[in-house]
Amino acid sequence: MPIAPRRARRGDTPPPRTGSSETEVLRGFLDHLRHSVSAKVEDAPDPEARTAGVPSGTNLLGLLNHLTHVERSTFLGDRVTDWQATFHAAPADSVAEVVARYRSAVAQANEVLDGCTDLAAPVPRPRPNSPAPSVRWALTHMIEETGRHAGHADILRELIDGATGR
């Protein structure tokens, strides 16, 4: 994929300075990564946002669609039967729709997390007969998952139009 003309560089946003509790630190870093990845996608041009930037087929819109499913599965108990399929947004989905769906999932996940006061307690999940991870594990997993894909999004966005930074 050829690199398009370079866009203005965004300034990097440093990691957040959060409170001193473990919960504040974990949630602060997760929210920082969530914002970073959605910002990479929100103003990306279509169809480039859904065009594979690497041989594996990874694209910006698919990454955010996948992260939406991970948020909903981890914090809201949604069942996902085909994780590979989550890496592809529907052909009719616009960039704005995928970003809005992601932000909605994050808001709903944060509502659940707002009620979790014990990091060792299981994440409240409506799905029966499925063991829930601890809130600590779920937050750590989401930081890892979102950070990993935010890095992918950084590279894909730079390949699209040269945009860099958070």
Side-chain angles (χ1 to χ4, degrees), residues 114-147:
D114 288 345
C116 297
T117 58
D118 180 3
L119 290 175
V123 172
R125 297 169 78 172
R127 190 169 17 135
N129 303 321
S130 179
S134 71
V135 174
R136 179 181 289 105
W137 184 93
L139 285 168
T140 304
H141 169 63
M142 284 308 305
I143 290 167
E144 176 271 330
E145 183 83 7
T146 307

Side-chain angles (χ1 to χ4, degrees), residues 22-152:
E22 184 179 4
T23 299
E24 291 170 321
V25 171
L26 291 172
R27 290 198 58 189
F29 271 83
L30 178 56
D31 283 339
H32 175 69
L33 290 168
R34 287 165 162 170
H35 175 74
S36 294
V37 74
S38 65
K40 281 292 177 183
V41 180
E42 74 181 335
D43 61 351
D46 200 351
E48 291 87 347
R50 68 179 67 250
T51 302
V54 292
S56 67
T58 304
N59 63 77
L60 275 178
L61 223 48
L63 283 176
L64 202 59
N65 190 65
H66 171 71
L67 285 171
T68 301
H69 286 279
V70 178
E71 289 275 354
R72 294 193 58 80
S73 175
T74 302
F75 296 118
L76 306 174
D78 285 8
R79 187 166 184 256
V80 176
T81 57
D82 183 356
W83 280 106
Q84 201 57 39
T86 68
F87 281 97
H88 303 283
D93 285 345
S94 69
V95 170
E97 289 168 331
V98 174
V99 171
R101 243 189 331 269
Y102 175 70
R103 289 183 174 152
S104 175
V106 165
Q108 291 172 9
N110 279 340
E111 286 177 16
V112 169
L113 288 168
D114 288 345
C116 297
T117 58
D118 180 3
L119 290 175
V123 172
R125 297 169 78 172
R127 190 169 17 135
N129 303 321
S130 179
S134 71
V135 174
R136 179 181 289 105
W137 184 93
L139 285 168
T140 304
H141 169 63
M142 284 308 305
I143 290 167
E144 176 271 330
E145 183 83 7
T146 307
R148 178 175 184 232
H149 293 311
H152 296 146

